[in-house]
Amino acid sequence: LVFCAAYSQNQKPCVSSSAGDVVDIYQREFLALRERLHSAEQENLRRSKELNLVLEEIKRAIAEKQALRDINRTWSSLSEETRLKLWNVSSSKNVLQLPSIFHHLPHLLNREDSLLPAVHLGQGRTGVSIVMGVPSVKREVHSYLTDTLSSLMSELSAAEKEDCVIVVLVAEADQQYASSVADNLKRLFPAEIQSGLLEVVSPSVHFYPDFSRLRESFGDPKERVRWRTKQNLDYCFLMMYAQTKGTYYVQLEDDIVARPNYFTTMKNFALQQPSEEWMILEFSQLGFIGKMFKSLDLSLIVEFMLMFYKDKPIDWLLDHIMWVKVCNPEKDAKHCDRQKANLRIRFKPSLFQHVGTHSSLAGKIQKLKDKDFGKQTLHKGHANPLAEVTTSLKTYQHFTLEKAYLGEDFFWAFTPVAGDFIRIRFFTPVRIERYFFRSGNIEHPGDKLFNTSVEVLPFDNIQAEKEALTEGREKTPKYHRTEDGFIRIGTFQNGIAEGEVDPTFGPLEAMRLSVMTDSPVWVILSEV
């Protein structure tokens, strides 16, 4: 513009033409700028709306979280009756409300983890024929749990071990104690846990309700009412956990021993029933021991137990379930018993025997024995090679080592100390393929050999050392040899020592059991 003004004295047409072009240019640019500003303003309004929506969502989320905290605090302060009413109104949009475990145990709503096991050890095996439930609690005097598990698992064949699960419920709110039991079982039965045969669970401390407000009934003192009430809930927890794992569920206790071949006997008896109308198959006449249920029936049984868990013990509740199912109030008691007999079928002889004397109820001594279990076998004999047997242990009464080796009785001796031994010297060298030693028996399951090794003495020590005691290019020791020439080939685990003898040892001159540390108990050798 300045240039055109200075030049306009002689070039007027140029000035007029140039000014018009510039105005057009700026006018177009101004219009374009105004359009861009309008678009930017619209975009700004749109973004502002989006930000406001996000802000509202954040505020709403914060408010809901705070409201949830307030609800939880309020819910905890409400009575159980009020909670049930609120639950019925607000839990669903449906008009009809279905009962659930929260109706019977409303305190479970206080914690999200109330139904999750506090301890859970195992592989989660499913699809088996039989699940065995073993509830266990802390006893003041003596625990029979490990002996019970040893009895159950030692009577199973390799194929049977693949077709069942044993679930131990450590029914204690003390999580430290429950964890210690699980750790101990993991140490004692590592192969069984790793394979999936054995599982250990413990309920959350929040699973149990407040037992202080229980009403006394049937003449039972408050402590017994609490004990039986908690026991009912323990059974419910165990059944709920086990119901999806197998076809049948068998309820056991933690202070029993099992008869040989018990697993296949139970399975065949269930499969051979002429109809599916049965509800309980009984393999013991005592309490809640050896009771088999179809897993499909467990939901019904658990719900019935939860409705009346505070009112009556478990054996009464089971009888009531059957009464409701088949008894006619217009008929007499004999007719009812005949109807219930179709649901509750007894197998004889009993497959399980109760061995505990100290009840889980503090201070209670119970000497219950199942008469149908038959005479208890305290020893088992085998046809062993002729041999001379000697021991450094002091024999108790007439329970000699010679009788145990011949299969006539069991060997019973006073407390072993480190260095004690049991020696079997064969009259003539003999090839041994397998060995099996069992310590303890049904009446004295705790009298076992602990930290004891199994040793052999080959007849041809030089050849045995050449063939079997070294391996690999560097000839590293394969077995441990003692100072007197015996070769250590095994140890006792849970009171049992079994295994194969390396064939390269050739004929054996002797076998020996050597105690490596002092024992706290007497010892019984019930099977050789």
Side-chain angles (χ1 to χ4, degrees), residues 217-263:
S217 59
F218 303 108
D220 287 340
K222 182 165 257 184
E223 185 55 34
R224 184 176 179 84
V225 173
R226 180 193 181 281
W227 171 74
R228 78 184 194 210
T229 299
K230 177 183 174 297
Q231 189 178 60
N232 285 340
L233 292 177
D234 294 339
Y235 291 137
C236 288
F237 189 97
L238 195 45
M239 288 180 177
M240 287 188 291
Y241 178 82
Q243 64 179 337
T244 60
K245 290 181 168 292
T247 305
Y248 303 111
Y249 173 79
V250 177
Q251 184 64 59
L252 300 173
E253 298 293 346
D254 68 345
D255 51 358
I256 62 167
V257 291
R259 184 182 288 274
N261 203 38
Y262 74 93
F263 177 87

Side-chain angles (χ1 to χ4, degrees), residues 67-102:
L68 184 60
R69 290 173 180 168
D70 294 339
I71 289 172
N72 286 337
R73 283 196 293 266
T74 304
W75 186 267
S76 300
S77 64
L78 296 176
S79 67
E80 290 188 5
E81 182 179 1
T82 304
R83 290 185 202 176
L84 284 175
K85 291 178 180 178
L86 290 174
W87 179 258
N88 283 329
V89 171
S90 61
S91 62
S92 172
K93 294 181 180 180
N94 296 326
V95 176
L96 300 180
Q97 297 298 320
L98 297 175
S100 71
I101 188 173
F102 300 110

